[in-house]
Amino acid sequence: MKDMRKRLFMAIVVACLLLVGCTEKKEPVVVVDSSTVPEEKDSTIYGVCGDGTSMNSIQLVTGQGDTLIFMKDVEALEDPVKGGMAVGDNLALMPGKRVDGEDMVQNVINLTSLLGKWTSIDKNFEIKDDGAVASSASAESNQWHSWKIFNGKLLLGRDTFNVYELTADSLYLENDKGIFTYKRQY
C-alpha cells in the first residue's frame, strides 16, 4: 500500500510538471547587435600638472608625453579646479568648448588631492591610487569598493557624483540626492 501511494504521488508530480511545462509561455529571444548600440566614451583627459601652469592656464602632460595647454575662464564665478594644483600632481581634466581658438577647461579634479581617508557620519573609506576603495565600517550600507573618474564625474561603486568642492581637509560630493560632506582623516 505504501509503495502504491508513492507511485501515485510521483505520477501526480510528473503530471503537474508536464502541465506547467506545456502551458508556460516562452519569451522570444531578442538578439541585440552591439555594434549599433552607442557606447559612451570617457572624454576626460588624464595627465600630470606641468610647470607651464599659471593662474589662467593649465599645462597638462599626458601619459603619452603630449603637452596640452587649456585656458581657464577668467570670468567664471567658480574655479574649475577641485583640489588645487601643484606641479607633478595627477589631474583628470574635462575639456570644455573652444573659445577664440583656445582649448578651454570645463573642470579639473586633482587626483593626488582626492586620494586618502575620508569620513562622515555614516561613511568611513579610503580612496586608493589603484582604483580601489577600502571601507573600515563593516556595517556600512552601500559600501564602495572601486572608484574612477568618467566624463569629469567621480564614480564610487554604482554612485555618480560631481566633485562640488575638494580641499586639503574637505570633500563635498553632489548628486541628485544632495551634497555629501566628508572630512579628511589623518
Side-chain angles (χ1 to χ4, degrees):
M1 186 77 163
K2 188 176 182 182
D3 192 40
M4 185 181 261
R5 280 192 217 158
K6 201 180 218 182
R7 286 183 189 184
L8 180 62
F9 176 75
M10 290 302 287
I12 292 172
V13 169
V14 169
C16 288
L17 289 175
L18 285 173
L19 183 63
V20 169
C22 292
T23 61
E24 184 179 331
K25 291 183 180 179
K26 302 236 177 180
E27 294 294 321
V29 176
V30 178
V31 178
V32 177
D33 181 5
S34 63
S35 64
T36 62
V37 178
E39 271 190 43
E40 190 175 359
K41 275 182 92 174
D42 185 10
S43 300
T44 310
I45 302 172
Y46 303 90
V48 175
C49 183
D51 59 6
T53 297
S54 68
M55 184 172 33
N56 296 327
S57 68
I58 299 170
Q59 182 185 52
L60 189 71
V61 181
T62 68
Q64 293 78 26
D66 297 328
T67 300
L68 308 172
I69 303 290
F70 291 89
M71 301 304 295
K72 294 196 305 186
D73 183 358
V74 293
E75 296 176 6
L77 297 175
E78 291 184 32
D79 188 359
V81 179
K82 307 301 181 194
M85 279 188 310
V87 173
D89 284 351
N90 290 313
L91 304 177
L93 183 145
M94 188 68 184
K97 294 181 180 178
R98 292 178 61 98
V99 176
D100 297 332
E102 298 285 340
D103 288 325
M104 301 297 287
V105 63
Q106 182 176 337
N107 72 326
V108 178
I109 300 171
N110 186 326
L111 301 177
T112 304
S113 297
L114 183 65
L115 300 178
K117 295 180 180 180
W118 298 98
T119 186
S120 71
I121 293 172
D122 63 338
K123 294 268 189 200
N124 190 357
F125 59 96
E126 180 180 3
I127 298 176
K128 298 184 174 193
D129 63 356
D130 62 356
V133 176
S135 179
S136 58
S138 60
E140 186 177 292
S141 64
N142 190 23
Q143 283 188 1
W144 298 318
H145 299 287
S146 63
W147 73 276
K148 71 178 181 176
I149 302 295
F150 189 79
N151 288 333
K153 297 183 186 297
L154 174 62
L155 278 62
L156 285 167
R158 296 182 312 243
D159 298 327
T160 303
F161 297 97
N162 287 317
V163 177
Y164 185 79
E165 185 77 33
L166 174 60
T167 66
D169 62 354
S170 300
L171 172 63
Y172 297 88
L173 301 177
E174 179 182 30
N175 66 11
D176 58 350
K177 295 177 183 157
I179 296 177
F180 302 89
T181 305
Y182 303 94
K183 179 181 173 186
R184 188 176 298 277
Q185 185 178 17
Y186 295 99

